[in-house]
Structure formats: structure tokens, C-alpha cells
Coordinates of all heavy atoms in Angstrom, one line a residue:
M1 N -31.6 32.3 -57.1 CA -30.9 33.6 -57.4 C -31.4 34.2 -58.7 O -31.5 33.5 -59.7 CB -29.4 33.3 -57.5 CG -28.5 34.5 -57.8 SD -26.8 34.0 -57.9 CE -26.4 34.8 -59.4
S2 N -31.8 35.4 -58.6 CA -32.3 36.1 -59.8 C -31.1 36.7 -60.6 O -30.1 37.0 -60.1 CB -33.3 37.2 -59.5 OG -32.6 38.2 -58.7
L3 N -31.3 36.8 -61.9 CA -30.2 37.3 -62.8 C -30.2 38.8 -62.7 O -31.3 39.4 -62.6 CB -30.5 36.9 -64.2 CG -30.4 35.4 -64.6 CD1 -30.8 35.2 -66.0 CD2 -29.0 34.9 -64.3
R4 N -29.1 39.4 -62.8 CA -29.0 40.8 -62.9 C -29.3 41.2 -64.4 O -29.1 40.4 -65.3 CB -27.6 41.3 -62.6 CG -27.2 41.2 -61.2 CD -25.7 41.5 -60.9 NE -25.1 42.3 -62.0 CZ -24.3 43.3 -61.7 NH1 -24.0 43.6 -60.5 NH2 -23.7 43.9 -62.7
V5 N -29.9 42.4 -64.5 CA -30.3 42.8 -65.9 C -29.5 44.0 -66.2 O -29.4 45.0 -65.5 CB -31.8 43.2 -65.9 CG1 -32.2 43.7 -67.3 CG2 -32.6 42.0 -65.6
I6 N -28.8 44.0 -67.4 CA -28.0 45.1 -67.9 C -28.7 45.6 -69.2 O -28.9 44.8 -70.1 CB -26.6 44.6 -68.2 CG1 -26.0 44.1 -66.9 CG2 -25.8 45.7 -68.8 CD1 -24.6 43.5 -67.0
A7 N -29.0 46.9 -69.2 CA -29.5 47.5 -70.4 C -28.4 48.2 -71.2 O -27.6 48.9 -70.6 CB -30.6 48.5 -70.1
I8 N -28.3 47.9 -72.5 CA -27.3 48.6 -73.3 C -28.1 49.4 -74.3 O -28.9 48.9 -75.1 CB -26.5 47.5 -74.1 CG1 -25.7 46.6 -73.0 CG2 -25.5 48.2 -75.0 CD1 -25.0 45.5 -73.6
I9 N -27.8 50.7 -74.3 CA -28.3 51.6 -75.3 C -27.1 51.9 -76.2 O -26.2 52.6 -75.8 CB -28.9 52.9 -74.6 CG1 -30.0 52.5 -73.7 CG2 -29.4 53.9 -75.7 CD1 -30.5 53.7 -72.8
S10 N -27.2 51.4 -77.4 CA -26.1 51.3 -78.3 C -26.1 52.5 -79.3 O -27.1 53.1 -79.5 CB -26.1 50.0 -79.1 OG -25.0 49.9 -79.9
S11 N -24.9 52.8 -79.9 CA -24.8 53.8 -80.9 C -25.3 53.3 -82.2 O -25.4 52.1 -82.5 CB -23.3 54.2 -81.0 OG -22.6 53.1 -81.5
W12 N -25.7 54.2 -83.1 CA -26.2 53.9 -84.4 C -25.1 53.7 -85.4 O -25.3 53.0 -86.4 CB -27.2 55.0 -84.9 CG -26.5 56.3 -85.1 CD1 -26.4 57.3 -84.2 CD2 -25.9 56.8 -86.2 NE1 -25.7 58.3 -84.7 CE2 -25.3 58.0 -86.0 CE3 -25.6 56.2 -87.5 CZ2 -24.6 58.8 -86.9 CZ3 -24.9 57.0 -88.4 CH2 -24.4 58.2 -88.1
N13 N -23.9 54.3 -85.2 CA -22.9 54.3 -86.2 C -22.0 53.1 -86.2 O -21.4 52.8 -87.2 CB -22.1 55.6 -86.2 CG -21.6 56.0 -84.9 OD1 -21.9 55.4 -83.9 ND2 -20.7 56.9 -84.9
Y14 N -21.8 52.4 -85.1 CA -21.0 51.2 -85.0 C -21.7 50.1 -84.3 O -21.3 49.7 -83.2 CB -19.6 51.5 -84.4 CG -18.8 52.4 -85.2 CD1 -18.6 53.7 -84.8 CD2 -18.1 51.9 -86.3 CE1 -17.8 54.5 -85.5 CE2 -17.3 52.7 -87.1 CZ -17.1 54.1 -86.7 OH -16.3 54.9 -87.4
P15 N -22.9 49.7 -84.7 CA -23.8 48.8 -83.9 C -23.2 47.5 -83.6 O -23.3 47.0 -82.4 CB -25.0 48.7 -84.8 CG -24.5 48.9 -86.2 CD -23.4 49.9 -86.1
I16 N -22.5 46.9 -84.5 CA -21.9 45.5 -84.2 C -20.8 45.6 -83.2 O -20.7 44.9 -82.2 CB -21.6 44.8 -85.5 CG1 -22.9 44.4 -86.2 CG2 -20.8 43.5 -85.2 CD1 -22.7 43.7 -87.5
R17 N -19.8 46.5 -83.5 CA -18.7 46.7 -82.7 C -19.0 47.1 -81.2 O -18.6 46.4 -80.3 CB -17.7 47.7 -83.2 CG -16.4 47.8 -82.4 CD -15.6 49.0 -82.7 NE -16.4 50.2 -82.2 CZ -16.0 51.4 -82.4 NH1 -15.0 51.7 -83.1 NH2 -16.7 52.4 -82.0
D18 N -19.8 48.1 -81.1 CA -20.2 48.6 -79.8 C -21.0 47.6 -79.0 O -20.7 47.3 -77.8 CB -20.9 49.9 -79.9 CG -20.0 51.0 -80.3 OD1 -18.8 50.8 -80.4 OD2 -20.5 52.1 -80.7
S19 N -22.0 47.1 -79.6 CA -22.9 46.1 -78.9 C -22.2 44.8 -78.6 O -22.4 44.3 -77.5 CB -24.2 45.8 -79.7 OG -24.9 47.0 -79.9
S20 N -21.4 44.3 -79.5 CA -20.8 43.0 -79.3 C -19.8 43.1 -78.1 O -19.8 42.1 -77.3 CB -20.0 42.6 -80.5 OG -20.9 42.4 -81.6
S21 N -19.1 44.2 -77.9 CA -18.2 44.3 -76.8 C -18.9 44.4 -75.5 O -18.4 44.1 -74.5 CB -17.2 45.4 -77.0 OG -17.9 46.7 -77.0
Q22 N -20.1 44.9 -75.5 CA -20.9 45.2 -74.3 C -21.7 44.0 -73.8 O -22.2 44.0 -72.7 CB -21.7 46.4 -74.4 CG -20.8 47.7 -74.6 CD -21.6 48.9 -74.9 OE1 -22.8 48.9 -75.4 NE2 -21.1 50.1 -74.6
I23 N -21.9 43.0 -74.7 CA -22.7 41.8 -74.3 C -21.9 40.8 -73.5 O -22.5 39.8 -73.1 CB -23.5 41.2 -75.5 CG1 -22.4 40.6 -76.5 CG2 -24.4 42.1 -76.1 CD1 -23.1 39.7 -77.5
I24 N -20.7 41.0 -73.3 CA -19.8 40.1 -72.5 C -20.4 39.7 -71.2 O -20.3 38.5 -70.8 CB -18.4 40.6 -72.4 CG1 -17.7 40.6 -73.8 CG2 -17.6 39.8 -71.4 CD1 -16.4 41.3 -73.9
P25 N -21.1 40.6 -70.5 CA -21.7 40.1 -69.2 C -22.7 38.9 -69.4 O -22.9 38.1 -68.4 CB -22.4 41.3 -68.7 CG -21.7 42.5 -69.2 CD -21.2 42.0 -70.6
A26 N -23.3 38.8 -70.5 CA -24.2 37.7 -70.8 C -23.4 36.3 -70.7 O -24.0 35.3 -70.3 CB -24.8 37.8 -72.1
W27 N -22.2 36.3 -71.0 CA -21.4 35.1 -70.9 C -21.1 34.7 -69.4 O -20.8 33.6 -69.1 CB -20.0 35.3 -71.6 CG -20.2 35.6 -73.1 CD1 -21.3 35.3 -73.8 CD2 -19.2 36.2 -73.9 NE1 -21.0 35.8 -75.1 CE2 -19.8 36.3 -75.2 CE3 -17.9 36.7 -73.7 CZ2 -19.1 36.8 -76.3 CZ3 -17.3 37.2 -74.8 CH2 -17.9 37.3 -76.0
R28 N -21.3 35.7 -68.5 CA -21.2 35.4 -67.1 C -22.6 35.0 -66.5 O -22.7 34.9 -65.3 CB -20.6 36.6 -66.4 CG -19.2 36.9 -66.8 CD -18.6 38.0 -65.9 NE -19.5 39.0 -65.4 CZ -19.4 40.3 -65.6 NH1 -18.4 40.7 -66.3 NH2 -20.3 41.2 -65.2
G29 N -23.6 35.0 -67.3 CA -24.9 34.6 -66.8 C -25.8 35.7 -66.4 O -26.8 35.6 -65.8
E30 N -25.5 37.0 -66.9 CA -26.3 38.1 -66.6 C -27.2 38.3 -67.8 O -26.9 38.1 -68.9 CB -25.5 39.4 -66.3 CG -24.7 39.2 -65.0 CD -23.7 40.3 -64.8 OE1 -22.9 40.6 -65.7 OE2 -23.9 41.0 -63.8
R31 N -28.4 38.8 -67.6 CA -29.4 39.1 -68.6 C -29.1 40.4 -69.3 O -28.9 41.4 -68.6 CB -30.8 39.1 -68.0 CG -31.9 39.3 -69.0 CD -32.4 38.0 -69.5 NE -33.6 38.2 -70.3 CZ -33.6 38.1 -71.6 NH1 -32.5 37.9 -72.2 NH2 -34.7 38.3 -72.2
V32 N -29.0 40.5 -70.6 CA -28.6 41.7 -71.3 C -29.7 42.1 -72.3 O -30.2 41.2 -73.0 CB -27.3 41.5 -72.0 CG1 -27.0 42.8 -72.8 CG2 -26.2 41.2 -71.1
V33 N -30.2 43.3 -72.2 CA -31.2 43.8 -73.2 C -30.5 45.0 -74.0 O -30.0 45.9 -73.4 CB -32.4 44.4 -72.5 CG1 -33.4 44.9 -73.5 CG2 -33.0 43.3 -71.6
V34 N -30.4 44.8 -75.3 CA -29.7 45.8 -76.1 C -30.7 46.6 -76.9 O -31.6 46.0 -77.7 CB -28.7 45.1 -77.1 CG1 -28.0 46.1 -77.9 CG2 -27.8 44.2 -76.3
D35 N -30.7 47.9 -76.8 CA -31.5 48.8 -77.7 C -30.6 49.1 -78.9 O -29.7 49.9 -78.9 CB -31.8 50.1 -76.9 CG -32.5 51.1 -77.8 OD1 -32.9 50.8 -78.9 OD2 -32.7 52.3 -77.4
E36 N -30.9 48.4 -80.0 CA -30.1 48.5 -81.2 C -30.8 49.4 -82.2 O -31.9 49.0 -82.7 CB -29.9 47.1 -81.8 CG -29.0 47.0 -83.0 CD -27.6 47.4 -82.6 OE1 -27.0 46.9 -81.7 OE2 -27.1 48.3 -83.3
R37 N -30.3 50.6 -82.4 CA -31.0 51.6 -83.2 C -30.7 51.5 -84.6 O -29.6 51.5 -85.1 CB -30.6 53.0 -82.6 CG -31.1 53.1 -81.2 CD -30.4 54.3 -80.6 NE -30.8 54.3 -79.2 CZ -31.6 55.2 -78.7 NH1 -32.1 56.1 -79.4 NH2 -31.9 55.1 -77.4
F38 N -31.8 51.5 -85.4 CA -31.7 51.8 -86.9 C -31.1 50.7 -87.7 O -31.0 50.8 -88.9 CB -31.0 53.1 -87.2 CG -31.5 54.2 -86.3 CD1 -30.6 54.9 -85.4 CD2 -32.8 54.7 -86.4 CE1 -31.0 55.9 -84.7 CE2 -33.2 55.8 -85.6 CZ -32.3 56.4 -84.8
H39 N -30.7 49.6 -87.1 CA -30.1 48.5 -87.9 C -30.7 47.1 -87.6 O -30.1 46.4 -86.9 CB -28.6 48.5 -87.6 CG -27.8 49.7 -88.1 ND1 -27.5 49.9 -89.4 CD2 -27.4 50.7 -87.4 CE1 -26.9 51.0 -89.5 NE2 -26.8 51.6 -88.3
P40 N -31.9 46.8 -88.1 CA -32.5 45.6 -87.8 C -31.7 44.3 -88.1 O -31.6 43.4 -87.3 CB -33.8 45.6 -88.6 CG -34.0 47.0 -88.9 CD -32.7 47.7 -89.0
Q41 N -31.0 44.4 -89.2 CA -30.1 43.2 -89.6 C -29.0 43.1 -88.6 O -28.6 41.9 -88.3 CB -29.6 43.4 -91.0 CG -30.7 43.3 -92.1 CD -31.3 44.7 -92.4 OE1 -30.9 45.7 -91.8 NE2 -32.2 44.7 -93.3
C42 N -28.4 44.2 -88.2 CA -27.3 44.1 -87.2 C -27.8 43.5 -85.9 O -27.1 42.7 -85.3 CB -26.7 45.5 -87.0 SG -25.8 46.1 -88.4
G43 N -28.9 44.0 -85.5 CA -29.5 43.5 -84.2 C -29.7 42.0 -84.3 O -29.4 41.2 -83.3
A44 N -30.3 41.5 -85.4 CA -30.5 40.1 -85.6 C -29.2 39.3 -85.5 O -29.1 38.2 -85.0 CB -31.3 39.8 -86.9
L45 N -28.2 39.8 -86.2 CA -26.9 39.2 -86.2 C -26.2 39.1 -84.8 O -25.7 38.1 -84.4 CB -25.9 39.9 -87.2 CG -24.5 39.3 -87.3 CD1 -24.6 37.9 -87.9 CD2 -23.7 40.3 -88.2
I46 N -26.3 40.2 -84.0 CA -25.8 40.2 -82.7 C -26.5 39.2 -81.8 O -25.9 38.5 -81.0 CB -25.9 41.6 -82.1 CG1 -25.0 42.6 -82.8 CG2 -25.6 41.6 -80.6 CD1 -25.2 44.0 -82.5
E47 N -27.8 39.1 -81.9 CA -28.6 38.2 -81.1 C -28.3 36.7 -81.5 O -28.1 35.9 -80.6 CB -30.1 38.4 -81.4 CG -31.0 37.8 -80.4 CD -32.4 38.4 -80.4 OE1 -32.9 38.7 -81.5 OE2 -33.0 38.5 -79.4
K48 N -28.1 36.5 -82.8 CA -27.7 35.1 -83.2 C -26.3 34.8 -82.7 O -26.1 33.7 -82.2 CB -27.8 35.0 -84.7 CG -27.4 33.7 -85.3 CD -27.6 33.6 -86.8 CE -27.2 32.3 -87.3 NZ -27.3 32.2 -88.8
F49 N -25.4 35.6 -82.9 CA -24.0 35.4 -82.4 C -23.9 35.2 -80.9 O -23.3 34.3 -80.4 CB -23.1 36.6 -82.8 CG -21.7 36.6 -82.3 CD1 -20.8 35.6 -82.8 CD2 -21.3 37.4 -81.3 CE1 -19.5 35.6 -82.3 CE2 -20.0 37.4 -80.8 CZ -19.1 36.5 -81.4
S50 N -24.6 36.1 -80.2 CA -24.6 36.0 -78.7 C -25.2 34.7 -78.2 O -24.8 34.1 -77.2 CB -25.2 37.2 -78.0 OG -26.6 37.3 -78.4
S51 N -26.3 34.2 -78.9 CA -26.9 33.0 -78.4 C -26.0 31.8 -78.7 O -26.2 30.8 -78.0 CB -28.3 32.8 -79.1 OG -28.1 32.4 -80.5
M52 N -25.1 31.9 -79.6 CA -24.1 30.8 -79.8 C -23.1 30.7 -78.7 O -22.5 29.7 -78.3 CB -23.4 30.9 -81.1 CG -24.3 30.6 -82.3 SD -23.5 30.6 -83.9 CE -22.8 32.3 -84.0
L53 N -22.7 31.9 -78.1 CA -21.7 32.0 -77.1 C -22.2 32.0 -75.7 O -21.5 31.6 -74.8 CB -20.9 33.3 -77.3 CG -20.2 33.4 -78.7 CD1 -19.6 34.8 -78.8 CD2 -19.1 32.3 -78.8
A54 N -23.4 32.4 -75.5 CA -23.9 32.4 -74.1 C -25.2 31.5 -74.0 O -25.6 31.0 -75.0 CB -24.4 33.9 -73.8
S55 N -25.6 31.3 -72.8 CA -26.9 30.5 -72.7 C -28.0 31.1 -73.5 O -28.0 32.4 -73.7 CB -27.3 30.5 -71.2 OG -26.3 29.9 -70.5
K56 N -28.9 30.3 -73.9 CA -30.0 30.8 -74.7 C -30.8 31.8 -73.9 O -31.0 31.7 -72.7 CB -30.9 29.6 -75.1 CG -30.3 28.6 -75.9 CD -30.3 29.0 -77.4 CE -29.8 27.9 -78.2 NZ -29.1 28.3 -79.4
N57 N -31.3 32.8 -74.6 CA -32.2 33.8 -74.1 C -31.6 34.7 -73.0 O -32.3 35.4 -72.3 CB -33.5 33.2 -73.5 CG -34.2 32.4 -74.6 OD1 -34.3 32.8 -75.7 ND2 -34.7 31.2 -74.2
L58 N -30.3 34.9 -73.0 CA -29.7 35.8 -72.1 C -29.5 37.2 -72.7 O -29.4 38.2 -72.1 CB -28.3 35.3 -71.6 CG -28.4 34.3 -70.5 CD1 -27.0 33.8 -70.1 CD2 -29.2 34.7 -69.3
V59 N -29.5 37.2 -74.1 CA -29.4 38.5 -74.8 C -30.7 38.7 -75.6 O -31.1 37.9 -76.3 CB -28.2 38.5 -75.7 CG1 -28.1 39.8 -76.5 CG2 -26.9 38.3 -74.9
T60 N -31.3 39.9 -75.4 CA -32.5 40.3 -76.1 C -32.2 41.6 -76.8 O -31.7 42.5 -76.2 CB -33.7 40.5 -75.1 OG1 -33.9 39.2 -74.5 CG2 -34.9 40.9 -75.9
I61 N -32.6 41.6 -78.1 CA -32.4 42.9 -78.9 C -33.8 43.5 -79.0 O -34.7 42.9 -79.4 CB -31.9 42.6 -80.3 CG1 -30.6 41.7 -80.2 CG2 -31.7 43.8 -81.1 CD1 -29.4 42.5 -79.6
V62 N -33.9 44.8 -78.6 CA -35.1 45.6 -78.9 C -34.7 46.7 -79.8 O -33.6 47.2 -79.7 CB -35.7 46.1 -77.6 CG1 -36.2 44.9 -76.8 CG2 -34.8 46.9 -76.7
Q63 N -35.5 47.1 -80.7 CA -35.2 48.2 -81.6 C -36.2 49.3 -81.6 O -37.4 49.1 -81.4 CB -35.1 47.6 -83.0 CG -34.0 46.5 -83.1 CD -33.9 45.9 -84.4 OE1 -34.8 45.7 -85.1 NE2 -32.7 45.5 -84.8
G64 N -35.6 50.5 -81.7 CA -36.5 51.7 -81.7 C -35.7 52.9 -81.4 O -34.5 52.9 -81.4
G65 N -36.4 54.0 -81.2 CA -35.8 55.3 -81.0 C -35.7 55.6 -79.5 O -35.6 54.7 -78.6
G66 N -35.7 56.8 -79.1 CA -35.6 57.3 -77.8 C -36.6 56.7 -76.8 O -36.4 56.5 -75.6
E67 N -37.8 56.4 -77.3 CA -38.9 55.9 -76.4 C -38.5 54.5 -76.0 O -38.9 54.1 -74.8 CB -40.2 55.9 -77.2 CG -40.4 54.9 -78.3 CD -39.7 55.3 -79.6 OE1 -39.3 56.4 -79.8 OE2 -39.7 54.4 -80.5
V68 N -37.8 53.7 -76.8 CA -37.4 52.4 -76.3 C -36.3 52.5 -75.3 O -36.4 51.8 -74.2 CB -36.9 51.5 -77.5 CG1 -36.3 50.2 -77.1 CG2 -38.0 51.3 -78.5
G69 N -35.3 53.4 -75.5 CA -34.3 53.6 -74.5 C -34.9 54.1 -73.1 O -34.5 53.6 -72.1
Q70 N -35.9 55.0 -73.2 CA -36.6 55.5 -72.0 C -37.3 54.3 -71.3 O -37.2 54.2 -70.1 CB -37.5 56.6 -72.4 CG -38.2 57.2 -71.2 CD -39.1 58.4 -71.6 OE1 -39.1 58.8 -72.8 NE2 -39.9 58.9 -70.7
A71 N -38.0 53.5 -72.1 CA -38.7 52.4 -71.5 C -37.7 51.4 -70.8 O -38.0 50.9 -69.7 CB -39.5 51.6 -72.5
L72 N -36.5 51.2 -71.4 CA -35.5 50.3 -70.8 C -35.1 50.9 -69.4 O -35.0 50.2 -68.4 CB -34.3 50.2 -71.7 CG -34.4 49.2 -72.8 CD1 -33.2 49.3 -73.7 CD2 -34.7 47.8 -72.3
I73 N -34.8 52.2 -69.4 CA -34.4 52.8 -68.1 C -35.5 52.8 -67.1 O -35.3 52.5 -65.9 CB -33.9 54.3 -68.4 CG1 -32.7 54.2 -69.3 CG2 -33.7 55.0 -67.1 CD1 -32.2 55.6 -69.8
E74 N -36.7 53.1 -67.5 CA -37.9 53.0 -66.6 C -38.1 51.7 -66.0 O -38.7 51.5 -64.9 CB -39.1 53.6 -67.2 CG -39.0 55.1 -67.5 CD -40.2 55.6 -68.3 OE1 -41.1 54.9 -68.8 OE2 -40.2 56.9 -68.5
A75 N -37.7 50.6 -66.7 CA -37.8 49.2 -66.2 C -36.8 49.0 -65.1 O -36.9 47.9 -64.5 CB -37.6 48.2 -67.3
A76 N -36.0 49.9 -64.7 CA -35.0 49.9 -63.6 C -34.1 48.6 -63.7 O -34.0 47.8 -62.8 CB -35.8 49.9 -62.3
P77 N -33.3 48.6 -64.8 CA -32.3 47.5 -64.8 C -31.2 47.7 -63.8 O -31.1 48.8 -63.2 CB -31.7 47.6 -66.2 CG -31.9 49.1 -66.6 CD -33.2 49.5 -65.9
D78 N -30.4 46.7 -63.5 CA -29.3 46.8 -62.5 C -28.2 47.7 -63.0 O -27.5 48.3 -62.2 CB -28.8 45.4 -62.2 CG -29.8 44.5 -61.6 OD1 -30.3 44.9 -60.5 OD2 -30.2 43.5 -62.2
K79 N -28.0 47.8 -64.3 CA -27.0 48.6 -64.8 C -27.4 49.1 -66.2 O -28.1 48.4 -66.9 CB -25.7 47.8 -65.0 CG -24.5 48.5 -65.3 CD -23.2 47.6 -65.4 CE -22.9 47.2 -64.0 NZ -21.6 46.5 -63.9
V80 N -27.0 50.3 -66.6 CA -27.2 50.8 -68.0 C -25.9 51.2 -68.6 O -25.1 51.9 -68.0 CB -28.2 52.1 -67.9 CG1 -28.3 52.7 -69.3 CG2 -29.5 51.7 -67.4
L81 N -25.6 50.7 -69.8 CA -24.5 51.1 -70.6 C -25.0 51.9 -71.7 O -25.8 51.5 -72.5 CB -23.7 49.9 -71.1 CG -23.2 48.9 -70.0 CD1 -22.6 47.7 -70.7 CD2 -22.2 49.5 -69.1
F82 N -24.4 53.1 -71.9 CA -24.9 54.0 -72.9 C -23.7 54.5 -73.8 O -22.6 54.8 -73.3 CB -25.5 55.3 -72.3 CG -25.8 56.3 -73.3 CD1 -26.9 56.2 -74.2 CD2 -25.0 57.4 -73.5 CE1 -27.2 57.2 -75.1 CE2 -25.3 58.4 -74.4 CZ -26.4 58.3 -75.2
T83 N -23.9 54.5 -75.1 CA -22.9 55.0 -76.1 C -23.7 56.0 -77.0 O -24.7 55.6 -77.6 CB -22.3 53.9 -76.9 OG1 -21.7 53.0 -76.1 CG2 -21.3 54.5 -77.9
G84 N -23.3 57.2 -77.0 CA -24.0 58.2 -77.8 C -23.6 59.6 -77.5 O -22.5 59.8 -76.9
S85 N -24.4 60.6 -77.8 CA -24.0 62.0 -77.6 C -24.0 62.4 -76.2 O -24.7 61.8 -75.3 CB -25.0 62.9 -78.4 OG -26.3 62.9 -77.7
V86 N -23.3 63.5 -75.9 CA -23.3 64.1 -74.6 C -24.6 64.5 -74.1 O -25.0 64.2 -72.9 CB -22.3 65.2 -74.5 CG1 -22.3 65.9 -73.2 CG2 -20.9 64.7 -74.8
A87 N -25.4 65.2 -74.9 CA -26.7 65.6 -74.6 C -27.6 64.5 -74.2 O -28.3 64.5 -73.1 CB -27.3 66.5 -75.7
T88 N -27.7 63.4 -75.0 CA -28.5 62.3 -74.6 C -27.9 61.6 -73.4 O -28.7 61.1 -72.6 CB -28.6 61.3 -75.8 OG1 -29.1 62.1 -77.0 CG2 -29.5 60.2 -75.5
G89 N -26.6 61.5 -73.3 CA -26.0 60.9 -72.1 C -26.4 61.6 -70.8 O -26.7 60.9 -69.8
R90 N -26.5 62.9 -70.9 CA -27.0 63.6 -69.7 C -28.4 63.2 -69.3 O -28.8 63.0 -68.1 CB -26.9 65.1 -69.9 CG -25.5 65.6 -69.8 CD -25.4 67.1 -69.9 NE -24.0 67.5 -69.8 CZ -23.4 68.3 -70.7 NH1 -24.1 68.8 -71.7 NH2 -22.2 68.6 -70.5
R91 N -29.3 63.1 -70.3 CA -30.7 62.7 -70.1 C -30.8 61.3 -69.6 O -31.6 61.0 -68.7 CB -31.5 62.9 -71.4 CG -31.7 64.3 -71.7 CD -32.9 64.5 -72.7 NE -32.7 63.7 -73.9 CZ -32.2 64.1 -75.1 NH1 -31.7 65.3 -75.2 NH2 -32.1 63.3 -76.1
V92 N -29.9 60.4 -70.1 CA -29.9 59.0 -69.6 C -29.4 59.0 -68.2 O -30.0 58.3 -67.3 CB -29.0 58.1 -70.5 CG1 -28.7 56.8 -69.9 CG2 -29.6 57.9 -71.9
A93 N -28.4 59.7 -67.8 CA -27.9 59.8 -66.4 C -29.0 60.3 -65.5 O -29.1 59.8 -64.4 CB -26.6 60.6 -66.4
E94 N -29.7 61.3 -65.9 CA -30.7 61.9 -65.0 C -31.8 60.9 -64.8 O -32.3 60.7 -63.7 CB -31.3 63.2 -65.6 CG -30.3 64.4 -65.6 CD -30.8 65.5 -66.4 OE1 -31.9 65.5 -67.0 OE2 -30.0 66.5 -66.5
A95 N -32.2 60.2 -65.9 CA -33.3 59.2 -65.8 C -32.9 58.0 -64.9 O -33.6 57.5 -64.1 CB -33.7 58.7 -67.2
C96 N -31.6 57.6 -65.0 CA -31.1 56.5 -64.2 C -31.0 56.9 -62.7 O -31.3 56.1 -61.9 CB -29.7 56.1 -64.7 SG -29.7 55.2 -66.3
A97 N -30.7 58.2 -62.5 CA -30.5 58.6 -61.1 C -31.9 58.6 -60.4 O -31.9 58.4 -59.2 CB -30.0 60.1 -61.1
R98 N -33.0 58.7 -61.1 CA -34.3 58.7 -60.4 C -34.6 57.2 -59.9 O -35.4 57.1 -59.1 CB -35.4 59.1 -61.4 CG -35.4 60.6 -61.6 CD -36.6 61.1 -62.4 NE -36.6 60.7 -63.8 CZ -36.0 61.5 -64.8 NH1 -35.5 62.7 -64.4 NH2 -36.1 61.2 -66.0
N99 N -34.0 56.2 -60.5 CA -34.2 54.9 -60.1 C -33.1 54.4 -59.1 O -33.0 53.2 -58.8 CB -34.3 53.9 -61.3 CG -35.5 54.2 -62.2 OD1 -36.5 54.5 -61.6 ND2 -35.4 54.0 -63.5

């Protein structure tokens, strides 16, 4: 059985709160990839915390701007969770609809 992949494109202003609440699927054995923007230390903390609670290597943090989020969507994950502006949310929805 292959793992489902969930991509999380997180907000920049509450990175730990938003990302932490969305990685819960990893505890059920799903693979989670988090696009953690602008906060390398927060991303490292989330990855460390999640590895203590879930199986190793189920949560991966990637960091970058819009190009990273776009690459995550183009990789066709099973689900995308997005927190951000309405304008960007529309672009994310359109990109997801193509897959």
C-alpha cells in the first residue's frame, strides 16, 4: 500500500501554529510535505517535533517562495492544504484543478 501525500503550503505569519495543526495526518501514516516560508528555524523545529510524534521521515519541510509551492502542486499530491491570501489561494486552486 502506498502512502498518500499531503502538501501543506503554510502561512508566513504563524508558521508553527498553522503547520503544526496541519501535520496531524502524518500521525495516521500519511506522508506530509510542508512548504514553510521565510522561517528556517521554525521549519526545523516543526520537523524535529513531528519526527518525535510520527514515524520517521513522514514529515518533510521544504522552504522557499512561490516556486516551491508551485513545484509541490505540480508533483500532484493527493491533497493540498493552503493558508494564505485570497489571490494566491485562487492560483493554488486553479493549479490543483489541472491535476
Side-chain angles (χ1 to χ4, degrees):
M1 179 179 133
S2 63
L3 295 176
R4 290 174 18 140
V5 176
I6 299 172
I8 299 172
I9 301 173
S10 183
S11 64
W12 63 270
N13 52 348
Y14 294 104
I16 291 180
R17 183 196 68 185
D18 291 347
S19 297
S20 296
S21 65
Q22 294 174 337
I23 62 169
I24 291 172
W27 299 340
R28 296 190 322 238
E30 296 173 300
R31 182 90 171 105
V32 177
V33 180
V34 181
D35 176 10
E36 187 62 53
R37 296 165 186 253
F38 312 116
H39 296 281
Q41 293 88 359
C42 291
L45 181 63
I46 292 166
E47 196 165 37
K48 181 178 180 181
F49 174 70
S50 63
S51 71
M52 291 186 298
L53 298 174
S55 297
K56 297 279 187 210
N57 301 321
L58 284 179
V59 176
T60 301
I61 306 294
V62 294
Q63 297 178 331
E67 70 282 350
V68 173
Q70 183 176 351
L72 282 175
I73 293 169
E74 289 173 357
D78 296 299
K79 189 179 288 188
V80 174
L81 302 175
F82 171 77
T83 304
S85 71
V86 173
T88 303
R90 286 187 179 126
R91 290 195 307 265
V92 167
E94 290 170 1
C96 289
R98 287 190 284 272
N99 291 327

